[in-house]
Amino acid sequence: MTIASNIERIKKRVKAACKRANRSPDEVKIVAVSKLHPVEKIIEAYSNGLRIFGENRVQEAKEKFEILKDYQIEWHLIGHLQKNKVKYAVNIFDFIHSIDSIELAEKVEKRLEKIGKTIKGFIQVKLSEEETKHGVLIEELDNLARFCRNLNYVKIIGLMTVPPYFDDVEKVRPYFVKLRELRDKLNKEVFENSLTELSMGMTHDFEVAIEEGATYVRIGTGIFGERNYDGN
Ligand SMILES: *Cc1c(COP(=O)(O)O)cnc(C)c1O
């Protein structure tokens, strides 16, 4: 399988899922998750029309970013952001999908103010008990949202989650429904309908995510093939 044919196939499946949900395919953006894949593969995907790339480690992203400076790439941080990496991250990324605490949001805001840059952000919500998953707990979401609402350099545009993996992909649907409901609630109570986005869905479950309202799907394996190891 080539990257070109993978992209074609993913786009067809995105379209089909949109059709089932009565949505326009223009509402769904593909974040090509290039973590642990070399720059050459990013260039290949870029040549085939993709412009949004997702990385989960700041150091790896920094190396790629420097090589690809002249490309019109929108860089998305999809992995956990450690506070000591914020100063590097703000130089690279246009979007951060992993805002999960007041301390982190505050640090990102301060750094952005220093360099006079704004970014778009998602609040990452932890919807499962899994120890390995990052994100703010539902009980603390409202507090974090109210804090983020007042930021000037981090513009929160939606919610993000990484649900557990299920062999039976239908079992993931309630997690996506839940994230959408939380987004809708915050739109009423905190954000005055400015949360337009939902970052949810990966290679094995993006179609269900789209059916439940995803506007950014994060797809690695389906575009670039298998990674050598997990990358989390
Ligand atoms: C790796 C990763 C993805 C992409 O996973 P695939 O199964 O390869 O599509 C999406 N989101 C996050 C947060 C990731 O870490």
Side-chain angles (χ1 to χ4, degrees):
M1 279 297 159
T2 64
I3 286 178
S5 64
N6 285 345
I7 292 171
E8 269 321 295
R9 213 150 20 94
I10 294 286
K11 281 188 174 167
K12 270 198 190 128
R13 289 170 60 187
V14 166
K15 261 194 188 151
C18 284
K19 194 158 187 212
R20 286 196 295 281
N22 267 317
R23 303 181 58 199
S24 158
D26 302 337
E27 291 173 27
V28 181
K29 299 190 180 70
I30 296 171
V31 180
V33 177
S34 46
K35 66 186 184 197
L36 299 173
H37 290 294
V39 162
E40 292 70 37
K41 284 190 167 187
I42 299 181
I43 294 173
E44 202 177 332
Y46 186 95
S47 308
N48 284 282
L50 298 191
R51 293 292 179 272
I52 307 176
F53 291 87
E55 291 282 339
N56 72 334
R57 284 169 193 269
V58 175
Q59 182 57 37
E60 182 181 343
K62 188 165 176 281
E63 288 161 21
K64 291 172 172 172
F65 173 79
E66 277 160 14
I67 298 170
L68 296 170
K69 265 202 179 82
D70 296 332
Y71 289 74
Q72 303 301 308
I73 290 176
E74 190 176 277
W75 292 98
H76 288 231
L77 178 63
I78 59 166
H80 180 63
L81 177 54
Q82 290 169 295
K83 291 184 193 75
N84 61 357
K85 298 280 169 62
V86 168
K87 59 177 180 287
Y88 308 108
V90 293
N91 285 316
I92 301 168
F93 294 103
D94 307 293
F95 287 64
I96 295 178
H97 291 236
S98 48
I99 302 290
D100 63 358
S101 72
I102 288 179
E103 296 71 33
L104 179 63
E106 190 170 29
K107 189 137 203 183
V108 174
E109 171 81 0
K110 279 195 176 137
R111 279 280 164 189
L112 286 169
E113 184 174 10
K114 241 178 217 161
I115 61 171
K117 176 181 170 182
T118 61
I119 59 147
K120 293 181 175 164
F122 292 84
I123 294 178
Q124 180 174 355
V125 188
K126 180 176 156 91
L127 297 178
S128 73
E129 303 294 302
E130 290 172 291
E131 289 284 321
T132 55
K133 297 284 193 278
H134 292 285
V136 64
L137 299 174
I138 292 177
E139 304 89 85
E140 292 159 14
L141 175 59
D142 198 70
N143 247 348
L144 177 56
R146 284 176 199 280
F147 179 81
C148 287
R149 180 185 54 185
N150 297 319
L151 301 179
N152 295 313
Y153 295 87
V154 180
K155 168 131 185 53
I156 297 293
I157 57 171
L159 301 183
M160 178 273 210
T161 199
V162 183
Y165 176 92
F166 297 101
D167 283 327
D168 173 7
V169 76
E170 267 307 312
K171 292 202 170 122
V172 80
R173 191 179 295 276
Y175 291 87
F176 296 146
V177 170
K178 183 73 187 174
L179 196 71
R180 187 187 65 228
E181 288 172 354
L182 290 170
R183 191 270 313 262
D184 293 346
K185 187 164 179 280
L186 287 179
N187 262 336
K188 283 207 192 87
E189 297 173 0
V190 184
F191 280 98
E192 291 164 3
N193 294 320
S194 64
L195 298 184
T196 50
E197 313 300 327
L198 286 170
S199 168
M200 57 191 197
M202 302 164 47
T203 296
H204 84 284
D205 59 12
F206 72 88
E207 286 148 311
V208 179
I210 289 172
E211 287 167 15
E212 298 304 337
T215 61
Y216 284 87
V217 290
R218 310 178 308 266
I219 301 186
T221 317
I223 291 172
F224 296 108
E226 291 295 330
R227 294 176 291 273
N228 288 332
Y229 50 103
D230 187 276
N232 279 307

